[in-house]
Amino acid sequence: MTVAEAVREGEQLLEGAGVDTPRLDSELLAGKALGLTRTELYLDPGRELSDGEAADLRALFERRSRREPLAYVLGQWGFRRLTLTVDRRVLVPRPETEVVVERCLELLRGLDAPAVLDVGAGSGAIALAIADEHPGARVTAIDVSEEALEVARENARTTGLEVTFELRNVRDGLAGSYDLVVSNPPYVTAEEIEGLEPEVRDWEPRTATVGDDHTEVIAAAAAEVLTPGGWLVLEVGDGRAGAVRRHLQELGYREVRTDPDLTGRDRVVEGQWGRSTKP
């Protein structure tokens, strides 16, 4: 089997399994199995695969054909400037969450050493991206899952970024004082999860995906630890931005606003706690 034939075989298998991007996924999986970039795959499409390479590649194709997320099969995923380890212990970092980080960085602009708290660390994507792109930020990230924190700590080690990770449930309250609290909380309802694609429904951790009142709990808890003029930044479910915005206003947050994700859906809600300390 040649490289080109292997990619075609994978594309056909994945297309039959209902994968949205069968050609791209096949190329990425072939690159992982052979240790090549997508460009390098096409520099020598007639190269013959060894029996071991062919077996390894088919194993990856089979995993993806069962609708295991591509990121899990690859074992890593890009998020802003970082490449992070991901597996079934954590959610796959998504482009809409990059918008959350963008808003955090904008709100932190001009602060030399802001204290930041990420509620729901997961893979560490948000916390590590902020630490990476705002040098001097003192970032803490909490999660209820020790397994998720294991992944986050591994990502901190491999990226060389300094973030403090703690096992904590936001329902037990928060401690400390922060200039910004950020969270991508579970916001998919139990009814909605059954209608989502298999990659989410069957593979990603339910505790990080499904939740009814996590957003409200986090908003209330953040108010107890934000400095005057500090900011809360939340990723919210599709269609929920208006309700979350009103809830923040009822809690006493000011300057509440929403921002769209890359598809134009209102995805980020932010609010300032108390009086601004900026001139």
Side-chain angles (χ1 to χ4, degrees):
M1 178 186 293
T2 66
V3 168
E5 290 169 343
V7 170
R8 281 196 299 272
E9 178 182 301
E11 179 183 11
Q12 293 168 356
L13 177 65
L14 300 184
E15 184 176 21
V19 172
D20 287 340
T21 54
R23 181 71 179 190
L24 174 61
D25 288 24
S26 180
E27 292 170 348
L28 292 173
L29 293 171
K32 175 178 174 60
L34 303 176
L36 302 174
T37 65
R38 289 177 66 201
T39 300
E40 290 170 338
L41 289 175
Y42 290 98
L43 293 178
D44 189 11
R47 173 195 154 187
E48 293 281 342
L49 273 64
S50 69
D51 290 344
E53 289 174 332
D56 290 344
L57 183 51
R58 285 190 170 118
L60 296 180
F61 287 156
E62 286 295 329
R63 288 177 63 185
R64 185 68 182 107
S65 73
R66 294 194 294 272
R67 304 299 295 271
E68 182 176 353
L70 177 64
Y72 292 172
V73 183
L74 293 174
Q76 60 183 24
W77 202 244
F79 185 79
R80 293 185 69 86
R81 305 191 312 194
L82 305 174
T83 299
L84 303 175
T85 293
V86 290
D87 57 32
R88 291 198 69 173
R89 294 172 289 178
V90 297
L91 293 179
V92 177
R94 288 170 166 77
E96 52 264 37
T97 307
E98 297 196 20
V99 178
V100 173
V101 173
E102 192 65 41
R103 288 305 307 152
C104 292
L105 294 171
E106 181 61 31
L107 294 169
L108 295 171
R109 192 182 304 277
L111 299 179
D112 292 334
V116 177
L117 176 65
D118 175 19
V119 179
S123 65
I126 292 176
L128 292 168
I130 292 174
D132 177 47
E133 298 183 52
H134 191 112
R138 295 171 289 120
V139 185
T140 301
I142 66 172
D143 205 292
V144 297
S145 168
E146 184 58 51
E147 288 188 337
L149 290 174
E150 290 171 0
V151 178
R153 291 184 180 113
E154 178 182 347
N155 283 322
R157 287 191 295 270
T158 57
T159 58
L161 295 167
E162 186 173 344
V163 171
T164 299
F165 293 103
E166 298 177 357
L167 183 67
R168 177 182 285 271
N169 190 331
V170 66
R171 295 182 187 277
D172 297 329
L174 299 174
S177 179
Y178 299 95
D179 299 294
L180 183 142
V181 175
V182 58
S183 183
N184 174 18
Y187 54 69
V188 177
T189 68
E191 294 75 22
E192 290 171 335
I193 190 71
E194 298 306 324
L196 296 182
E197 60 270 19
E199 285 84 348
V200 177
R201 184 191 66 221
D202 300 335
W203 290 90
E204 295 195 88
R206 288 283 176 111
T207 55
T209 306
V210 178
D212 293 324
D213 65 344
H214 287 72
T215 299
E216 291 76 12
V217 170
I218 292 167
E224 300 296 323
V225 296
L226 281 169
T227 59
W231 290 90
L232 171 66
V233 182
L234 296 166
E235 182 173 326
V236 300
D238 191 16
R240 289 208 61 209
V244 174
R245 185 174 61 245
R246 289 189 294 274
H247 183 68
L248 293 193
Q249 291 168 336
E250 291 168 359
L251 287 173
Y253 286 88
R254 306 171 184 271
E255 304 296 329
V256 179
R257 59 173 277 179
T258 62
D259 285 281
D261 61 19
L262 300 177
T263 67
R265 295 181 174 89
D266 284 339
R267 184 67 65 182
V268 185
V269 179
E270 64 191 53
Q272 189 178 44
W273 183 249
R275 180 179 58 83
S276 173
T277 57
K278 294 183 179 180

